Amino acid sequence: MRMLSVLMAFVLSACTTGTPSPDTSAVPDEDVVMERVESEEATFRVVRLVDDLEHPWAVAWLPDGRMLITERPGRLLLVDGDAIDEVAGLPSISPGGQGGLMDVALHPNYGSTGWIYFTYVAETQAGRGTVVARAKLDGAALTGLEELYRQKPFVSGGRHFGARIVFPGDGTLLFSIGDRGMRDPSQDLGSSIGTAIRLTLDGAVPDDNPFVGTDGALPEIYSYGHRNIQGMIVDPATGDIWSHEHGPRGGDELNLMRSAINYGWPAITYGREYATNREIGGFEQEGMEQPVTYWDPSIAPSGLALYNGDQFPGWRGNLFIGALAHQKVQRVVLGGQTVTHQESLLPDDLGRIRDVRTGPDGYLYLLTDASDGALYRLEPVE
């Protein structure tokens, strides 16, 4: 049975950040699993909020404090106080390999529109692919389901679906599609494999997309040359869009996302072949973007948060990245658009970190990727 109890600091923290106090009856119970962790800029404890999750992938908050959690096998959970309900009305999902039900995000004006966006893997006779859709929540069921986009083309295989969603604040949405393990299509503008896709919030192609009117190019493509983006975040202060993606053996990248840019995969990479350790391409090539930083050996990044809450003043403006292979949270300190420092938090303490989010209460939240995964919260202590 999933474990839940009351989070006493939720209302107080919401008041200190100047945001409306969510309904505390919608907040789950706490279970302290680490009493005190001392890091460079903060001392905190780790609280487990929900356990017995099957490969959770993403978490999002409704305005009343309830939470939506996706599980990769194809379940959307609604966490409301002591109750966890499985949400009905999802489309047909094809779980398997690295794919299934993946990201979930609320429309920027959710209070007036009610739209919930999510990504998942679908299957046809041609193979499998990443799909983005939206629907509205009515009780514990989705209604008004609309499919907005599906990968072009669908292909066989179970790897590298991408699937992260962000809203840049200009009336559009961005989401990622991985290279599906095929590599070369990431350099083909006639395919959406290995790209970031930009759509209006209704699923249309914006007129100012970079490849509108380009012969042989899909007009929905925003950027390309990606391997597998599993973290994206928008800095509300600057509008910068940060993303990270998996390299092969080494070469995980942190990038600034910009329109029309070719990020190089697989022509350039700091990663190497898994079996032989040989170089895959070069390290640089004219017309291809360099990462802001990269990790070698790979940390296998997933989930990305830009901390802007009040609970951890020393962390404001820092990026927080979940690591699957290294089973930790990577804190990345920025100086403008460069990386000035990094710190590893919780190495091997919680397991594979799939998602990292700043909650509406100003705390940092983590989802662990396991058959018995959990949702955790980091809270400051004196």
Side-chain angles (χ1 to χ4, degrees):
M1 197 173 206
R2 304 182 196 272
M3 172 199 52
L4 304 160
S5 80
V6 176
L7 299 177
M8 303 301 294
F10 199 101
V11 174
L12 177 60
S13 62
C15 292
T16 60
T17 57
T19 58
S21 300
D23 179 3
T24 56
S25 66
V27 181
D29 275 355
E30 64 180 46
D31 178 38
V32 178
V33 296
M34 299 181 70
E35 292 280 358
R36 186 179 183 87
V37 179
E38 296 186 2
S39 65
E40 293 174 356
E41 298 295 338
T43 301
F44 58 91
R45 69 176 187 170
V46 181
V47 175
R48 182 170 54 224
L49 306 180
V50 184
D51 66 0
D52 197 25
L53 297 171
E54 186 175 3
H55 294 287
W57 218 89
V59 58
W61 283 262
L62 296 169
D64 60 6
R66 293 179 298 166
M67 293 183 292
L68 294 168
I69 297 177
T70 61
E71 291 181 313
R72 198 176 69 217
R75 288 179 295 274
L76 177 63
L77 305 179
L78 178 63
V79 180
D80 184 4
D82 288 340
I84 297 181
D85 293 319
E86 184 175 340
V87 177
L90 285 169
S92 178
I93 294 171
S94 174
Q98 298 172 357
L101 180 60
M102 303 176 90
D103 209 4
V104 60
L106 272 58
H107 188 290
N109 297 316
Y110 177 81
S112 58
T113 70
W115 286 117
I116 296 168
Y117 293 76
F118 55 96
T119 50
Y120 64 97
V121 174
E123 186 171 6
T124 68
Q125 290 183 342
R128 304 168 73 210
T130 303
V131 179
V132 62
R134 68 179 186 175
K136 297 183 179 183
L137 188 65
D138 182 6
L142 297 178
T143 62
L145 178 68
E146 296 181 0
E147 181 181 302
L148 302 183
Y149 188 83
R150 55 177 46 205
Q151 173 189 309
K152 302 175 184 176
F154 273 33
V155 295
S156 62
R159 292 184 291 166
H160 302 178
F161 292 97
R164 286 294 181 191
I165 304 169
V166 295
F167 300 99
D170 59 356
T172 68
L173 67 89
L174 278 179
F175 70 98
S176 60
I177 300 176
D179 78 342
R180 302 302 318 285
M182 300 176 65
R183 299 191 177 184
D184 291 342
S186 294
Q187 291 295 315
D188 179 6
L189 287 172
S191 163
S192 63
I193 293 172
T195 66
I197 299 296
R198 182 174 182 256
L199 305 173
T200 68
L201 298 179
D202 295 328
V205 174
D207 293 337
D208 61 347
N209 267 9
F211 300 108
V212 170
T214 301
D215 289 343
L218 296 179
E220 60 265 31
I221 292 176
Y222 180 77
S223 61
Y224 64 109
H226 299 292
R227 186 171 185 264
N228 192 26
I229 296 175
Q230 290 197 331
M232 283 198 292
I233 195 72
V234 178
D235 185 339
T238 64
D240 289 340
I241 304 170
W242 292 91
S243 73
H244 61 61
E245 59 186 275
H246 290 250
R249 185 175 180 178
D252 298 343
E253 296 182 359
L254 177 67
N255 288 305
L256 271 168
M257 299 284 288
R258 297 198 302 275
S259 175
I261 297 298
N262 180 354
Y263 288 85
W265 175 257
I268 62 170
T269 175
Y270 290 94
R272 295 172 175 266
E273 295 286 2
Y274 286 108
T276 65
N277 202 36
R278 292 179 180 174
E279 292 182 12
I280 293 173
F283 299 136
E284 297 182 22
Q285 188 169 317
E286 186 176 355
M288 296 184 181
E289 187 77 354
Q290 287 289 305
V292 175
T293 193
Y294 67 93
W295 293 275
D296 187 6
S298 294
I299 63 172
S302 184
L304 178 61
L306 175 69
Y307 186 78
N308 54 10
D310 291 334
Q311 301 294 342
F312 296 100
W315 286 354
R316 286 196 196 108
N318 294 177
L319 297 176
F320 289 83
I321 299 169
L324 298 168
H326 281 202
Q327 302 189 14
K328 64 181 179 180
V329 177
Q330 191 78 359
R331 183 174 74 95
V332 177
V333 181
L334 300 175
Q337 296 182 339
T338 62
V339 172
T340 61
H341 180 66
Q342 297 189 52
E343 179 188 14
S344 294
L345 303 175
L346 303 170
D348 299 317
D349 288 324
L350 301 178
R352 290 161 53 87
I353 308 298
R354 173 60 72 183
D355 199 15
V356 184
R357 305 273 174 145
T358 302
D361 51 8
Y363 296 118
L364 201 66
Y365 287 78
L366 313 175
L367 276 176
T368 54
D369 178 35
S371 59
D372 57 349
L375 176 68
Y376 296 89
R377 192 175 75 178
L378 307 189
E379 302 176 351
V381 296
E382 294 297 330

